[in-house]
Amino acid sequence: MMSHDQGGTGTEDHSGEAPDFMPAAGEFSWEDQEQQAEARRRKVETERSDSVKESIRYWQKNDNISTSLDTTKSTLEEVVGLGQGFDVVFREMTFGGKRTGLFFINGFAKDTILQEILKRLTYLTPDDLTDGALESFFALYIPHIQVEKTEHLSSVVNNVLIGMSAFFIEGEQTAILMDTRNYPVRSPEEPSLERVVRGARDGFTETLLTNVTLVRRRLRDPGVKFESMKVGRRSQTDVCIAYIDDIADKVLVDAVREKIKGVELDGIPLADKQLEEAIIKGNWNPYPLVRYSERPDTVASHLMEGRVVLFVDTSPSVMILPTTFFDLCQHAEENRQTPFMGTYLRWIRFLGIFASLFLLPLWMLLVVHPELKPAALDFIGPEKNAKIPIIAQFLFIEFGVDLMRMAAVHTPTPLASAMGLIAAILVGDIAVKTGLFVNEVVLYMAVAAIGMFATPSYELGLANRVARLVMLVLVAIFGVPGLVGGITAFIIFLCLQRSYNSSYMWPFIPFNAKAMAGILFRVPVMTSKQRPSFNKTRDNTRMPQGERN
């Protein structure tokens, strides 16, 4: 049993102690048994192990697997709570005259595989094990593909906790590990935030292996690498770094790998978001410095551009880095249409994002300072004032939209339409009729909200809302200087951001005319012959030598 209530490991004072095993009934008097139980309780309370290996060394002299099944079982009782939980199983059986123990987690083990293995072992006789029990079981009689050996009990525990099964043999200091994992998994479905009219309908799930397979299906390149590691002392969460070896920048790959290895946390049960905060600087920055995606085709496209992708087990989304502000404004639907229609959709999307940022501050400025309005815009502005100031109206509606959005997330589907009816009619319409709000405030706020929801990146849409609120307040306080200063500060702030040492506003700053044209226009596939220089790729060509001209 691992404990982390205090610092230090506590293994130095106890590493030489032999395991404390309870005496058999009747061997000592009742008082002696009480003393043994009290000594065991004190030893449990004083343990301060920071890892499975340290905990095993605390309860037995070393990390080696004991030749005695009883010793191994007693150690597991203290380290993983064997016998205290219903899902931790240690099944003792005899095969070919050899006493064995099968150690696994009930919810992870695939019973059909274990049944086939055990069925084969029941036919063994002592004569079948003349060449050594361990080698005979490993090489001849365990009918399974993914099997390996280990001599360390900590390795056994760590692998069993991720779903594998361990096979112990009396008299052997080596255990056999069998991959019998069967994680709960749902079928790949189209992501709700990245829907397309044309295109694939499969999306990532909460199982790492499934997600990797969905990408591997689209990239049958032997250069695609998936490196696995674990993060978190307690959670031991599987994290996978994906990249194409001959395209991706090795400096970037090494930097990401070292960052992940250097994460010192108890665990990341919230998966990719906690990992992002651990490896990306600027945690209080509202703007996302990585891109999230739940579409395998989108991830495969970014891998071919030289990006690095991080998969985290139990998360249906993956991180793509580095990223730019303009990457977060693009959607897969644009590449599913013709170049002309894709460009049209992209401009409409950019217009919506621009409206979500600047429409409300500009309108408010023209209302507060009507002398700034040109003659052609005389119609802008309310015919009569409401009972509360314009800035208060905007703030109330902003917070109201956020409140309705959160309520929609938590509202059961059958009640969602009723909630929308309440929000649109009972709240909005009545608030205008009673004179609390101006019609135009509700109208422009609705346009800005639509622009926010049209933003492909959910995180970018939320950050733009914060920027809009700041500019509204600056306009209300300072007028024209507030708007000019707010926009200037906004652009400078974005230009100073770095996504893994890459410019966040590329190709606008530093300016790259060809790349900027690729942002504004959805160019045909055969026209785009080189990968973006932003990624510092080792191979920047998209086409074979014969197709470049």
Side-chain angles (χ1 to χ4, degrees):
M1 182 184 303
M2 294 169 58
S3 174
H4 303 277
D5 296 334
Q6 298 179 7
T9 63
T11 56
E12 295 180 0
D13 295 334
H14 305 278
S15 59
E17 297 184 12
D20 295 329
F21 303 127
M22 296 298 294
E27 184 175 344
F28 297 107
S29 64
W30 183 83
E31 291 81 2
D32 292 335
Q33 293 183 26
E34 282 292 313
Q35 293 177 359
Q36 290 281 349
E38 179 64 21
R40 172 63 62 87
R41 185 186 64 80
R42 287 198 303 268
K43 187 169 184 178
V44 170
E45 292 179 352
T46 57
E47 181 183 2
R48 296 294 182 269
S49 302
D50 283 336
S51 66
V52 171
K53 180 181 292 187
E54 291 177 359
S55 183
I56 291 173
R57 287 176 174 173
Y58 180 84
W59 289 102
Q60 65 180 34
K61 293 181 178 180
N62 49 52
D63 189 28
N64 296 330
I65 297 174
S66 174
T67 56
S68 170
L69 279 183
D70 292 330
T71 301
T72 299
K73 188 175 179 180
S74 297
T75 304
L76 293 176
E77 288 175 354
E78 303 299 338
V79 176
V80 297
L82 179 63
Q84 301 174 20
F86 72 93
D87 61 334
V88 182
V89 181
F90 192 90
R91 178 75 166 90
E92 297 183 60
M93 293 162 285
T94 301
F95 299 113
K98 279 288 186 179
R99 185 184 172 200
T100 64
L102 185 62
F103 177 44
F104 60 94
I105 302 296
N106 196 17
F108 287 153
K110 194 167 186 177
D111 52 357
T112 55
I113 296 177
L114 289 179
Q115 287 174 3
E116 289 297 322
I117 294 174
L118 297 180
K119 186 187 300 182
R120 175 66 182 88
L121 298 181
T122 54
Y123 294 107
L124 296 181
T125 64
D127 294 337
D128 296 323
L129 306 179
T130 54
D131 294 333
L134 177 67
E135 289 301 324
S136 297
F137 279 118
F138 180 79
L140 300 175
Y141 301 123
I142 293 183
H144 193 52
I145 298 174
Q146 295 175 298
V147 182
E148 60 183 82
K149 295 183 288 186
T150 182
E151 298 178 352
H152 302 289
L153 190 56
S154 61
S155 176
V156 170
V157 172
N158 287 328
N159 280 283
V160 168
L161 290 176
I162 66 173
M164 300 180 75
S165 300
F167 191 73
F168 296 98
I169 306 169
E170 181 77 19
E172 299 286 350
Q173 287 189 300
T174 302
I176 299 176
L177 293 172
M178 301 172 291
D179 191 351
T180 58
R181 285 175 286 189
N182 183 34
Y183 293 146
V185 61
R186 62 179 174 89
S187 300
E189 300 173 354
E190 185 176 14
S192 58
L193 293 178
E194 297 177 273
R195 294 182 181 274
V196 293
V197 177
R198 301 283 185 188
R201 305 297 179 188
D202 56 346
F204 292 132
T205 68
E206 289 75 18
T207 305
L208 177 65
L209 184 60
T210 302
N211 297 342
V212 169
T213 304
L214 289 173
V215 175
R216 176 71 79 174
R217 182 183 179 187
R218 289 168 168 82
L219 290 177
R220 301 175 182 179
D221 185 349
V224 180
K225 306 297 182 184
F226 294 95
E227 298 182 10
S228 178
M229 57 188 68
K230 297 185 185 299
V231 176
R233 291 186 303 169
R234 291 182 180 273
S235 68
Q236 290 287 296
T237 305
D238 291 315
V239 176
C240 177
I241 305 176
Y243 59 95
I244 300 181
D245 188 56
D246 57 335
I247 295 179
D249 179 18
K250 285 300 183 68
V251 176
L252 173 63
V253 175
D254 294 339
V256 174
R257 185 189 299 114
E258 293 303 316
K259 280 276 189 180
I260 296 176
K261 288 181 178 179
V263 174
E264 294 291 342
L265 291 172
D266 271 358
I268 50 173
L270 299 183
D272 46 9
K273 189 57 186 176
Q274 287 183 313
L275 181 65
E276 176 197 345
E277 293 183 11
I279 66 174
I280 301 293
K281 295 181 180 179
N283 293 333
W284 289 100
N285 180 4
Y287 277 85
L289 299 180
V290 300
R291 179 179 181 179
Y292 286 97
S293 179
E294 298 182 34
R295 295 190 61 89
D297 50 0
T298 299
V299 171
S301 298
H302 280 85
L303 283 173
M304 295 185 68
E305 288 184 351
R307 311 290 174 99
V308 175
V309 176
L310 298 183
F311 296 81
V312 183
D313 194 27
T314 71
S315 174
S317 59
V318 303
M319 285 189 288
I320 303 171
L321 51 93
T323 191
T324 69
F325 180 88
F326 298 102
D327 283 337
L328 299 171
C329 298
Q330 297 184 21
H331 191 271
E333 179 66 25
E334 300 159 6
N335 295 305
R336 295 289 183 176
Q337 305 298 328
T338 62
F340 181 86
M341 292 309 303
T343 301
Y344 170 76
L345 294 176
R346 186 171 293 182
W347 285 3
I348 293 297
R349 197 181 307 279
F350 284 154
L351 182 62
I353 296 173
F354 181 87
S356 70
L357 275 168
F358 304 114
L359 179 63
L360 298 187
L362 284 172
W363 182 85
M364 183 176 167
L365 179 65
L366 295 179
V367 171
V368 175
H369 299 279
E371 68 277 5
L372 298 176
K373 289 189 296 185
L377 299 179
D378 281 340
F379 63 91
I380 292 179
E383 296 180 358
K384 60 179 180 179
N385 294 328
K387 297 178 181 179
I388 58 178
I390 294 291
I391 182 62
Q393 295 180 46
F394 275 126
L395 294 180
F396 284 147
I397 295 181
E398 286 274 12
F399 298 146
V401 170
D402 278 333
L403 188 61
M404 287 187 291
R405 178 182 56 81
M406 289 187 287
V409 173
H410 303 301
T411 302
T413 303
L415 302 178
S417 58
M419 193 210 70
L421 185 66
I422 293 173
I425 298 178
L426 298 184
V427 177
D429 188 53
I430 294 178
V432 172
K433 288 182 178 179
T434 56
L436 293 177
F437 296 120
V438 177
N439 279 325
E440 287 190 55
V441 170
V442 179
L443 171 64
Y444 289 114
M445 185 66 228
V447 174
I450 292 174
M452 188 197 74
F453 293 133
T455 306
S457 170
Y458 179 71
E459 293 79 12
L460 179 62
L462 293 179
N464 286 343
R465 167 166 289 186
V466 173
R468 181 175 70 232
L469 281 173
V470 173
M471 282 188 279
L472 281 172
V473 173
L474 291 176
V475 170
I477 298 175
F478 303 107
V480 176
L483 179 63
V484 174
I487 295 177
T488 303
F490 172 73
I491 296 175
I492 293 176
F493 173 78
L494 293 181
C495 292
L496 292 177
Q497 300 306 309
R498 309 287 291 178
S499 176
Y500 254 90
N501 204 32
S502 298
S503 175
Y504 193 58
M505 290 298 289
W506 185 91
F508 179 64
I509 295 178
F511 186 74
N512 185 317
K514 185 176 181 180
M516 196 67 196
I519 294 293
L520 298 176
F521 301 92
R522 208 288 269 174
V523 298
V525 173
M526 299 305 293
T527 303
S528 180
K529 298 183 179 182
Q530 291 187 332
R531 297 183 175 90
S533 59
F534 162 80
N535 300 320
K536 304 179 182 67
T537 55
R538 301 173 65 194
D539 179 6
N540 66 341
T541 58
R542 295 180 186 269
M543 302 179 185
Q545 183 69 34
E547 301 293 336
R548 296 176 190 173
N549 299 323

